[in-house]
Amino acid sequence: MPNGRSIEETVADLRAGDRATLARAITLIESRKPDHRRAAAALLQAILPYTGEAWRVGISGVPGVGKSTTIDQLGINLTDAGNKVAVLAVDPSSQRTGGSILGDKTRMARLAVDPNAFIRPSPSAGTLGGVAARTRETMLVCEAAGFDVVIVETVGTGQSETAVADMVDVFVVLALPGAGDELQGIKKGILEIADIIAVNKADGENADRARQAAASLRAALHILTPISPNWTPPVLAVSGLSNLGLDKLWVEIGAHRATMQASGEFDERRAAQGVKWMWGMLEERLLARLRSDPDVSARLDALERDVREGRLAPTAAVEEVAPALGA
């Protein structure tokens, strides 16, 4: 356990809100060492009774839409109202070093120094969808430490939107105003999984363009089948920089939660996410087992070359490797 503490002592420290223990627990969870993985699994099982009550909010959008500015202001609004807010900000990673590029704490300057907030920037390090491999586990640790709102900010590229939507209760997509074709800067696939859409930077000269963009997005939503029969995604105009419309955004987040709980979809969604999480981790572990076997790993490299150079069909390559897993 972190700092040589027992599981019981670590849980007690987390429940008491000890920041150092929280940071060390997350570092433990992010470790790939087998003994650390076993310790992390034991810790997560121990804290399970203290999780599940937080508001889990995903926020995505294309780069430059103002996600960090909006989260910074929204977080300040929430802590001012008496909430404890954790932000799990998944940073793009350098392909050379694997380190974070953007530095979320510098982009959320006010929230970073708020005693009732906690920001954990984690490099995506090539993880599918730009979501840190242990974001779900980190979310549980933050909940056990007493944070009642957990916000997951995604890089906003690739499959990250789907990955985040699969681990939160409500998925908010930020859009840009005045992009001409309003769907140009926001993929149709995001509209299909969004619970709420907020057109950001709706202030000053952008105000009219933001309202027009919101109207265009509402029209676009009418031709899509909503992900829930009980909820039609609202489209708002907000400004994270000027703190405009963020109160309405939080009201809509609350309305979504109430609607999902009343219909039973809230519990169903979390249950399905847990099962999907289990299978995702199992697939990851099986792949790691394959690559940790020196004989299999060497054969995989050779098979990759054969597939890449067209000498072997991918299906044939899989058939050759599968017996190593007993499949």
Side-chain angles (χ1 to χ4, degrees):
M1 285 296 105
N3 204 29
R5 308 279 280 173
S6 68
I7 289 180
E8 293 77 14
E9 289 171 327
T10 299
V11 172
D13 290 344
L14 279 174
R15 298 291 293 155
D18 184 76
R19 294 300 185 95
T21 299
L22 174 59
R24 285 192 290 265
I26 295 173
T27 298
L28 176 74
I29 285 168
E30 292 176 345
S31 174
R32 297 183 180 182
K33 295 180 179 179
D35 57 333
H36 288 178
R37 281 183 171 178
R38 288 190 291 271
L43 176 61
L44 289 167
Q45 184 62 38
I47 65 172
L48 200 58
Y50 309 110
T51 65
E53 296 302 317
W55 295 53
R56 302 172 181 175
V57 181
I59 297 183
S60 186
V62 297
V65 75
K67 293 188 294 293
S68 294
T69 300
T70 302
I71 293 171
D72 189 39
Q73 184 61 64
L74 178 62
I76 290 296
N77 293 352
L78 291 171
T79 58
D80 284 349
N83 297 284
K84 292 185 66 177
V85 179
V87 178
L88 309 182
V90 183
D91 231 350
S93 300
S94 165
Q95 295 300 312
R96 295 181 61 190
T97 67
S100 298
I101 293 174
L102 298 180
D104 296 87
K105 285 193 175 182
T106 61
R107 294 183 292 133
M108 303 179 195
R110 292 175 299 165
L111 206 56
V113 296
D114 191 315
N116 289 315
F118 175 78
I119 300 176
R120 179 72 177 200
S122 299
S124 56
T127 304
L128 175 63
V131 178
R134 298 290 176 261
T135 302
R136 288 182 177 89
E137 293 95 320
T138 301
M139 184 185 303
L140 296 184
V141 174
C142 288
E143 291 181 356
F147 291 93
D148 48 15
V149 178
V150 181
I151 298 174
V152 182
E153 178 199 6
T154 172
V155 176
T157 58
Q159 297 296 314
S160 58
E161 296 85 6
T162 301
V164 170
D166 281 341
M167 67 177 70
V168 297
D169 302 320
V170 58
F171 183 56
V172 180
V173 174
L174 297 184
L176 284 166
D181 176 2
E182 298 306 340
L183 299 183
Q184 179 178 345
I186 181 169
K187 297 187 288 293
K188 177 184 176 183
I190 306 181
L191 293 180
E192 293 175 334
I193 61 175
D195 295 308
I196 299 171
I197 298 173
V199 181
N200 197 23
K201 304 186 179 182
D203 50 21
E205 296 179 356
N206 279 332
D208 288 338
R209 286 194 292 269
R211 284 191 288 269
Q212 292 169 5
S216 297
L217 287 167
R218 289 189 194 99
L221 287 172
H222 286 158
I223 64 174
L224 299 176
T225 302
I227 56 177
S228 168
N230 300 301
W231 179 261
T232 299
V235 183
L236 312 174
V238 305
S239 171
L241 184 63
S242 302
N243 197 16
L244 297 174
L246 296 186
D247 54 344
K248 295 180 181 178
L249 173 60
W250 191 251
V251 167
E252 291 292 355
I253 290 173
H256 176 269
R257 184 182 180 93
T259 299
M260 294 298 102
Q261 288 178 328
S263 68
E265 289 182 74
F266 184 89
D267 291 335
E268 291 173 4
R269 184 168 180 169
R270 283 202 173 180
Q273 288 173 349
V275 173
K276 190 168 186 177
W277 175 14
M278 181 196 75
W279 280 106
M281 292 184 70
L282 184 58
E283 290 170 3
E284 176 188 314
R285 186 66 61 86
L286 291 173
L287 183 58
R289 176 184 166 188
L290 272 178
R291 294 200 174 276
S292 66
D293 185 310
D295 295 331
V296 174
S297 182
R299 187 63 188 130
L300 280 172
D301 290 340
L303 290 172
E304 273 191 19
R305 287 194 299 271
D306 288 344
V307 171
R308 185 180 295 111
E309 296 171 11
R311 292 190 297 270
L312 185 67
T315 49
V318 170
E319 287 301 321
E320 186 168 338
V321 175
L325 290 174

